[in-house]
Amino acid sequence: AIALCFAACSAFDRTALAVDDATIRESVRSNLLADGFNDIEIKVDHGVVTLSGRASNGTQRDKALSDAERVDGVRRVVNRIH
């Protein structure tokens, strides 16, 4: 019985910690908006965030990348901002 509970509880904990793509997208969007990015497209697929759009310079492009990377649940960021 204890082993069964341990296995069930362990599976539950992993599920509870997983962050869904919609939540990740909204958190990335919030970070980007706070830094003045209004026209960046955000796609999320199984924790992989793809950013696309335009930035005024390389520093801004890097800031958008950082905004996405610091969100819980993000596994990787593909930065297609030009």
Side-chain angles (χ1 to χ4, degrees), residues 11-68:
F12 175 76
D13 288 345
R14 282 192 301 270
T15 303
L17 294 176
V19 180
D20 67 82
D21 288 344
T23 301
I24 292 171
R25 184 181 183 287
E26 283 307 308
S27 294
V28 170
R29 180 179 168 276
S30 177
N31 288 350
L32 291 171
L33 288 173
D35 282 333
F37 295 102
N38 299 315
D39 296 325
I40 301 297
E41 182 179 345
I42 307 158
K43 293 183 181 178
V44 183
D45 184 27
H46 294 93
V48 177
V49 176
T50 301
L51 302 175
S52 56
R54 296 211 175 266
S56 57
N57 56 50
T59 301
Q60 289 295 337
R61 182 180 187 273
D62 292 344
K63 180 61 178 160
L65 174 67
S66 175
D67 284 347

Side-chain angles (χ1 to χ4, degrees), residues 64-78:
L65 174 67
S66 175
D67 284 347
E69 288 177 331
R70 64 186 168 102
V71 170
D72 288 338
V74 172
R75 296 174 49 211
R76 183 167 60 100
V77 178
V78 177

